[in-house]
């Protein structure tokens, strides 16, 4: 039942029924009032006419009995009459029933009707009299009393009365007809209301189902449009809206995806903040940065450093972009914070963190490189200038001393040449301009051949040089043999130079599970732990004295690292101070 009342059908049906009921009620009240007045007036006029006629008949006949037959024919079947003289004595009665005597007595004793004996005017009155059909029931009668004349004097009256039952029966019949009409109207109204409502609600239900489908994300839903009225226009507009919503969502999705891809692909960390500095949106670099800050700031309140919160407060307070470069937890960041607006109000801010740590490191490397290369070149240049001036001034007189000076000048010039060549090689490697010529190479013969070139040098230094290539087996690896020889030459030469007499240097190689490993181990002086992580940096030397006897250019290991990494591999150093060092490089390869 509630479903009907809450539907358009029920509401429309109830509205039409109420309207029809109201109209029928007003019409019924007015009609019954009209009929009551009409029949009452008609009965009064009939009685008045009959009373006047009887009065004239009686006045015209001296003997009242002579007019009885005329009066009897004049009165209707439902109309009765009583004629009385001036003293109130009944001289004639017409169409009386069994209770006629009782009615006569009531009429003659009524004070209002008795005025007709004194006044020359008819008296009309409605009153209850005994029923002609039932003894114990009273009925309403319409009574008219008209005076009788004898010449110019009153000598009696005629009482004409008629039961109002016929009028009441007519009104009841009329009421029955009205109620029957109302019932038929209710039935027809209900039928047409439900018929009309179904014509309206059926497309509305389809619109509701389509709207639910649209809300669930099925934007291809179409509403049929068989009608060409307002509901049909609504269905056409709904279909157009569905297509437009689908198009707009696709555009928004594409823009959102594009924005997400842009944020994801950005190397800079991007964080969007709400007005209360809560984080709304981040990209992967920002997630990693926030995780690092949380790990560092476990014992502090908030995930953000105080410097960042201060910049956010400034941007929100002064509605301006804030830019600064800060050092946070060992990293350098170029930070830009811009306010976000919603209309004219600031709803938050977006911060971009550009990691400048590598830039700072490169600036330091560049500064160190200039300082180191200046230092490396200053010593041989000073020696070249000094010895050349001594020779040109003729200070040296002995031929042996002259030869010694010439040898020193030649060694320093060659050292400068090696320094320049190593610097150029390293620059080409780091810039990607050095091309690798890879070919399939048998590992075992290559390692043995390169190690054999240092046999004599090891003997001269009283150092035992050992080679172990059993682990390489018959492996063939695709690599640039010349560049790998440069790496091994540097490692073996460093091992021999830093190993004292009586020590040993061992070259080992292995190839298994798609990985080539070559290790050069010595029993030299070793490298301190604080220097071990920097041995592959340019111009870095664990030998702080930088003596000419053992000091190289300081670029050999940096070049070796770049060559190995160009092959997709890696190099590492393991050492204990006073016990020796092991340099190992690994290169992955595809097994055939």
């Amino acid at each position: 039942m509630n479903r009907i009342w809450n539907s358009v059908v029920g509401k429309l049906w109830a509205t039409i029924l109420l309207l029809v009921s109201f109209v029928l009620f007003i019409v019924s009240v007015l009609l019954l009032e009209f009929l009551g007045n009409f029949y009452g007036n008609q009965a009064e006029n009939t009685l008045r006419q009959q009373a006047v006629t009887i009065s004239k008949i009686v006045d015209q006949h001296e003997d009242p009995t002579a007019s009885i037959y005329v009066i009897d024919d004049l009165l209707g079947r439902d109309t009765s009459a009583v004629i009385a003289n001036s003293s109130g004595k009944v001289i004639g009665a017409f169409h009386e029933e069994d209770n006629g005597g009782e009615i006569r007595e009531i009429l003659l004793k009524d004070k209002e009707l008795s005025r007709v004996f004194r006044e020359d005017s008819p008296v009309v009155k409605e009153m209850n009299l005994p029923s002609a059909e039932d003894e114990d029931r009273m009925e309403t009668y319409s009574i008219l009393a008209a005076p009788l004349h004898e010449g110019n004097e009153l000598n009696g009256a005629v009482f004409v009365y008629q039961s109002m039952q016929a009028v009441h029966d007519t009104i009841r019949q009329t009421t029955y007809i009205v109620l029957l009409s109302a019932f038929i109207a209710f039935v027809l109204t209900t039928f047409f209301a439900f018929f009309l409502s179904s014509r309206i609600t059926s497309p509305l239900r389809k619109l509701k189902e389509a709207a639910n489908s649209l809300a669930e994300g099925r934007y291809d839903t179409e509403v049929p449009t068989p009608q060409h009225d307002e509901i049909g226009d609504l269905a056409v507009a709904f279909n157009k809206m569905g297509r437009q919503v689908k198009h707009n969502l696709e555009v928004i999705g594409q823009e959102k995806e594009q924005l997400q891809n842009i944020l994801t692909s950005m190397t800079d960390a991007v964080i969007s903040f709400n007005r209360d500095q809560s984080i709304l949106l981040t990209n992967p670099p920002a997630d990693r940065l926030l995780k690092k800050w949380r790990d560092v700031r476990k014992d502090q309140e908030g995930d953000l450093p105080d410097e960042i919160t201060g910049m956010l407060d400034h941007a929100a307070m002064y509605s301006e972009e804030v830019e600064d470069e800060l050092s946070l937890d060992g990293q350098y960041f170029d930070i830009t914070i811009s306010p976000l607006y919603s209309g004219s109000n600031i709803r938050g801010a977006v911060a971009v963190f550009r990691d400048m740590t590598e830039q700072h490191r490169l600036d330091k490397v560049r500064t160190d490189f200039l300082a180191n290369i200046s230092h490396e070149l200053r010593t041989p240049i000073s020696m070249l200038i000094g010895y050349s001036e001594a020779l040109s001034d003729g200070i040296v007189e002995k031929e042996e001393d002259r030869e010694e000076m010439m040898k020193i000048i030649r060694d320093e010039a060659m050292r400068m040449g090696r320094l320049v060549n190593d610097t150029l090689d390293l620059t080409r490697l780091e810039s990607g301009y050095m091309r690798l010529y890879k070919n399939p190479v048998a590992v075992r013969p290559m390692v043995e051949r390169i190690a054999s070139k240092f046999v004599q040098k090891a003997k001269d230094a009283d150092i035992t040089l050992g080679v172990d290539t059993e682990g390489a087996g018959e492996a063939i690896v695709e690599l640039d043999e010349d560049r790998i020889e440069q790496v091994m030459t540097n490692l073996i030469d460093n091992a021999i130079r830093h190993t004292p007499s009586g020590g040993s240097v061992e070259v080992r190689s292995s190839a298994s599970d798609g990985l080539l490993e070559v290790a050069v181990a010595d029993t030299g002086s070793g490298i301190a732990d604080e220097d071990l992580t920097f041995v592959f940096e340019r111009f870095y030397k664990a030998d702080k004295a930088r003596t000419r006897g053992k000091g190289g250019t300081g670029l050999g290991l940096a070049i070796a690292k770049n060559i190995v990494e160009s092959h997709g591999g890696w190099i590492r150093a393991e050492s204990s101070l006073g016990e020796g060092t092991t340099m190992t490089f690994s290169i992955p390869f595809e097994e055939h």
Side-chain angles (χ1 to χ4, degrees):
M1 181 62 70
N2 289 333
R3 184 177 179 183
I4 294 178
W5 289 118
N6 292 330
S7 65
V8 175
V9 175
K11 293 176 181 177
L12 186 60
W13 174 60
T15 302
I16 295 176
L17 282 182
L18 288 175
L19 180 61
V20 171
S21 301
F22 178 75
V23 172
L24 287 176
F25 174 77
I26 297 298
V27 170
S28 300
V29 170
L30 295 177
L31 182 61
L32 293 175
E33 181 69 19
F34 169 77
L35 290 175
N37 293 332
F38 174 78
Y39 286 117
N41 293 333
Q42 190 177 27
E44 181 181 344
N45 292 333
T46 301
L47 292 176
R48 186 183 298 274
Q49 185 178 4
Q50 290 176 348
V52 170
T53 302
I54 292 172
S55 175
K56 289 181 178 180
I57 292 173
V58 173
D59 290 342
Q60 292 175 358
H61 293 80
E62 294 180 0
D63 186 5
T65 59
S67 60
I68 292 175
Y69 297 106
V70 177
I71 295 172
D72 188 68
D73 293 336
L74 177 66
L75 293 175
R77 184 174 60 85
D78 296 329
T79 305
S80 301
V82 175
I83 300 174
N85 57 20
S86 58
S87 60
K89 182 180 178 181
V90 176
I91 58 176
F94 306 91
H95 296 176
E96 281 187 329
E97 300 294 337
D98 295 338
N99 53 4
E102 186 179 354
I103 292 176
R104 282 186 225 164
E105 185 178 356
I106 294 173
L107 294 177
L108 294 173
K109 290 182 178 180
D110 188 80
K111 293 181 179 181
E112 189 172 353
L113 294 176
S114 298
R115 286 190 295 109
V116 72
F117 294 106
R118 300 185 301 273
E119 300 175 2
D120 189 10
S121 62
V123 178
V124 179
K125 183 179 180 182
E126 284 189 9
M127 60 186 302
N128 293 327
L129 297 175
S131 173
E133 298 176 356
D134 299 328
E135 295 182 359
D136 298 331
R137 187 167 63 87
M138 302 293 284
E139 288 185 6
T140 302
Y141 283 80
S142 179
I143 305 166
L144 189 142
L148 297 176
H149 299 85
E150 184 177 354
N152 293 328
E153 296 180 359
L154 296 173
N155 71 341
V158 57
F159 297 89
V160 181
Y161 57 95
Q162 182 181 20
S163 174
M164 299 298 293
Q165 185 64 36
V167 176
H168 294 162
D169 291 342
T170 303
I171 293 175
R172 280 197 297 272
Q173 186 68 22
T174 304
T175 304
Y176 171 75
I177 293 173
V178 170
L179 292 177
L180 179 62
S181 301
F183 174 75
I184 295 173
F186 286 162
V187 173
L188 293 177
T189 299
T190 301
F191 173 75
F192 286 112
F194 276 90
F195 175 75
L196 178 62
S197 300
S198 63
R199 296 283 293 176
I200 296 174
T201 56
S202 177
L204 289 179
R205 282 195 296 269
K206 293 178 180 179
L207 277 173
K208 175 186 175 183
E209 294 171 359
N212 290 332
S213 298
L214 196 67
E216 292 171 359
R218 297 192 292 272
Y219 303 108
D220 295 328
T221 304
E222 289 283 340
V223 180
T225 56
Q227 298 171 275
H228 299 286
D229 52 7
E230 290 82 356
I231 296 179
D233 295 338
L234 178 61
V236 172
F238 182 88
N239 293 334
K240 183 178 179 181
M241 180 193 70
R243 291 190 294 270
Q244 191 64 35
V245 168
K246 180 181 179 182
H247 173 71
N248 291 339
L249 287 177
E250 288 177 352
V251 172
I252 293 173
Q254 291 174 0
E255 292 179 353
K256 183 178 180 181
E257 183 179 0
Q258 183 178 4
L259 178 61
Q260 188 65 34
N261 291 335
I262 291 173
L263 285 175
T264 303
S265 61
M266 287 181 65
T267 57
D268 297 337
V270 180
I271 305 176
S272 176
F273 296 93
N274 204 348
R275 190 68 173 81
D276 57 359
Q277 297 186 4
S278 59
I279 297 174
L280 296 177
L281 180 67
T282 60
N283 63 343
D287 293 335
R288 292 191 293 270
L289 184 61
L290 289 171
K291 183 178 183 301
K292 180 180 178 181
W293 284 347
R294 292 188 186 103
D295 294 339
V296 173
R297 300 169 58 83
K298 286 182 179 178
D299 299 332
Q300 303 181 37
E301 295 183 1
D303 297 334
L304 301 175
D306 296 336
E307 295 86 347
I308 304 300
T309 57
M311 294 175 69
L312 288 171
D313 292 336
H314 182 89
M317 183 178 298
Y318 297 100
S319 302
E320 63 181 12
E321 183 179 282
V322 182
E323 186 173 359
D324 198 0
E325 184 172 331
L326 299 175
S327 175
L328 302 174
D329 300 323
Q331 288 182 286
Y332 293 90
F333 293 96
D334 185 6
I335 305 172
T336 302
I337 299 179
S338 303
L340 296 176
Y341 293 91
S342 177
S344 58
N345 299 322
I346 295 178
R347 64 177 180 84
V350 59
V352 180
F353 298 82
R354 177 168 295 175
D355 192 350
M356 303 297 290
T357 306
E358 183 64 18
Q359 184 66 34
H360 277 262
R361 190 189 71 80
L362 292 176
D363 290 342
K364 184 177 184 304
V365 168
R366 183 168 58 252
T367 303
D368 293 343
F369 173 77
L370 292 176
N372 288 327
I373 198 169
S374 299
H375 181 84
E376 293 292 337
L377 290 174
R378 181 174 57 187
T379 301
I381 290 175
S382 298
M383 295 184 69
L384 286 174
I385 294 174
Y387 283 113
S388 60
E389 287 179 351
L391 290 175
S392 62
D393 292 341
I395 297 176
V396 180
E397 297 180 353
K398 293 182 180 181
E399 188 63 28
E400 293 83 3
D401 295 336
R402 185 184 299 275
E403 290 294 333
E404 179 65 22
M405 287 187 179
M406 293 295 291
K407 183 177 181 300
I408 293 173
I409 291 173
R410 184 172 59 253
D411 291 342
E412 294 300 328
M414 292 178 65
R415 182 183 174 197
M416 289 177 61
R418 290 195 305 271
L419 179 62
V420 172
N421 290 333
D422 288 348
T423 303
L424 291 175
D425 287 345
L426 183 60
T427 302
R428 282 196 294 269
L429 283 168
E430 291 182 343
S431 61
Y433 288 121
M434 181 169 287
R435 182 178 177 185
L436 298 178
Y437 297 92
K438 294 184 178 181
N439 293 297
V441 178
V443 174
R444 187 171 183 176
M446 179 190 70
V447 173
E448 292 176 349
R449 177 180 60 79
I450 296 172
S452 64
K453 297 168 65 174
F454 291 90
V455 173
Q456 187 60 44
K457 184 175 182 178
K459 287 183 179 180
D460 294 341
D462 193 19
I463 294 173
T464 302
L465 179 62
V467 180
D468 181 8
T469 58
E470 293 295 330
E474 303 297 327
I476 297 178
V477 180
E478 188 172 336
L479 46 77
D480 188 333
E481 188 174 2
D482 291 337
R483 291 300 173 186
I484 296 301
E485 182 175 350
Q486 184 178 357
V487 173
M488 291 186 61
T489 298
N490 187 285
L491 296 181
I492 296 172
D493 183 65
N494 280 349
I496 293 174
R497 285 192 296 112
H498 291 86
T499 301
S501 298
S504 63
V505 174
E506 185 177 10
V507 180
R508 299 188 297 269
S509 65
S510 64
S512 62
D513 298 330
L515 187 66
L516 167 64
E517 286 193 350
V518 177
V520 178
D522 62 57
T523 58
S525 56
I527 304 172
D529 291 338
E530 62 270 16
D531 296 323
L532 197 59
T533 56
F534 300 101
V535 293
F536 296 105
E537 297 290 338
R538 289 182 291 185
F539 295 110
Y540 190 85
K541 296 181 181 181
D543 180 12
K544 304 299 181 182
R546 298 180 183 265
T547 58
R548 279 198 312 118
K550 292 184 179 180
T553 62
L555 298 174
L557 291 179
I559 292 173
K561 178 184 177 184
N562 275 275
I563 291 174
V564 172
E565 289 179 349
S566 298
H567 282 78
W570 57 91
I571 189 170
R572 62 186 181 276
E574 299 173 357
S575 180
S576 297
L577 195 62
E579 297 181 4
T581 303
T582 300
M583 295 284 184
T584 306
F585 68 88
S586 304
I587 297 176
F589 68 94
E590 295 183 3
E591 296 183 282
H592 298 285

